[in-house]
Amino acid sequence: MDTNEKMALIAELLELEVSDFTPETKLEELEEWDSLAAISYVVMMDEHFGVTANPNDIRNFKTIRDILDSMK
């Protein structure tokens, strides 16, 4: 999966357009990044990557890049 596809998944997760953020966007600047989005991230990781997300990792996310880097 390439970066554009991952950005599209994040946009869907946050209910935003891909043009609304960049990899450098800080999550604290996005109202959409909340506890519900974090839960949705866990589900997305399981469905698309077959990975169980680590809650400690999610708490340490600071930017969109952190989410992208977790999508392996």
Side-chain angles (χ1 to χ4, degrees), residues 13-14 32-44 53 58:
L13 172 81
L14 297 175
E32 295 81 4
W33 181 253
D34 57 14
S35 58
L36 184 56
I39 292 168
S40 296
Y41 165 82
V42 171
V43 173
M44 177 195 69
I58 296 169

Side-chain angles (χ1 to χ4, degrees), residues 3-22:
T3 301
N4 290 334
E5 292 170 316
K6 291 177 183 179
M7 289 288 282
L9 283 175
I10 294 170
E12 183 179 329
L13 172 81
L14 297 175
E15 297 181 0
L16 294 171
E17 298 296 322
V18 173
S19 60
D20 291 337
F21 59 91
T22 69

Side-chain angles (χ1 to χ4, degrees), residues 38-72:
I39 292 168
S40 296
Y41 165 82
V42 171
V43 173
M44 177 195 69
M45 289 300 290
D46 183 48
E47 288 179 355
H48 291 276
F49 299 95
V51 173
T52 301
N54 182 333
N56 290 324
D57 292 342
I58 296 169
R59 267 182 256 159
N60 292 324
F61 288 166
K62 302 290 183 222
T63 65
I64 294 292
R65 170 75 56 211
D66 294 334
I67 298 173
L68 288 169
D69 290 347
S70 74
M71 300 167 86
K72 299 175 182 166

